[in-house]
Amino acid sequence: MQFINEVVQIYLPSSNIRRSVEWYVDVFGYRVIWEQEDSANLKLSQGPLLFLRKSVGSQSIFFIADNEKTPVISFKTSNFEAFYNSLRMKGLSVTEINEYGTGENGPYRDFSTKDPDGNLIEVNEFPDIKLPHF
């Protein structure tokens, strides 16, 4: 018996809700469902909600693997290079573009950026995954 159906919400810390809301609306095209001084809930046309919660001090989200900071959230875009270039034109810091994988589920490219609180975010052009067993 399956109890869980989907991921419905992702939580990210924010030291300034208004600033974060403006950033996610401007950079990623989120729509605001509601916003308060200590939290906000945002929505894209697809995928889980993004819940921003006011944090105490700086609490950036990432983890270390192979001596590198690794993001815990990844966004897919269908216009990868144009989005990458638009972030650079906005003056946002982005990593170099990486290319991975071969075969049925590859290759794909990604890069990382950070929101105003330093939360590390991956952006990719991941292909539709072919998982025949699911």
Side-chain angles (χ1 to χ4, degrees):
M1 175 181 256
Q2 180 177 339
F3 292 101
I4 303 298
N5 300 325
E6 65 182 302
V7 175
V8 295
Q9 192 159 258
I10 296 170
Y11 289 78
L12 287 179
S14 169
S15 61
N16 181 315
I17 297 297
R18 176 90 292 265
R19 179 186 66 191
S20 293
V21 166
E22 289 173 355
W23 192 87
Y24 280 97
V25 167
D26 179 52
V27 174
F28 285 96
Y30 270 94
R31 293 179 322 200
V32 178
I33 296 172
W34 55 264
E35 178 183 348
Q36 298 173 342
E37 187 177 322
D38 65 345
S39 58
N41 219 339
L42 310 176
K43 178 76 174 114
L44 289 172
S45 60
Q46 295 180 25
L49 302 174
L50 179 62
F51 189 90
L52 300 170
R53 182 80 191 265
K54 187 162 176 98
S55 59
V56 177
S58 178
Q59 297 181 39
S60 302
I61 300 295
F62 61 86
F63 65 94
I64 304 295
D66 296 326
N67 295 320
E68 292 183 9
K69 290 182 179 179
T70 303
V72 296
I73 185 171
S74 183
F75 291 93
K76 180 179 178 177
T77 178
S78 57
N79 202 340
F80 184 81
E81 288 184 26
F83 185 62
Y84 180 81
N85 291 331
S86 76
L87 296 184
R88 293 185 69 197
M89 288 179 65
K90 289 179 187 223
L92 297 177
S93 174
V94 294
T95 63
E96 294 295 319
I97 294 173
N98 301 301
E99 187 169 318
Y100 302 94
T102 58
E104 188 174 26
N105 290 316
Y108 69 95
R109 298 180 295 171
D110 69 21
F111 65 89
S112 295
T113 189
K114 293 179 182 177
D115 75 4
D117 285 287
N119 295 310
L120 189 59
I121 298 167
E122 178 186 81
V123 176
N124 69 66
E125 64 173 359
F126 205 77
D128 291 337
I129 301 174
K130 295 173 180 80
L131 300 171
H133 294 60
F134 297 92

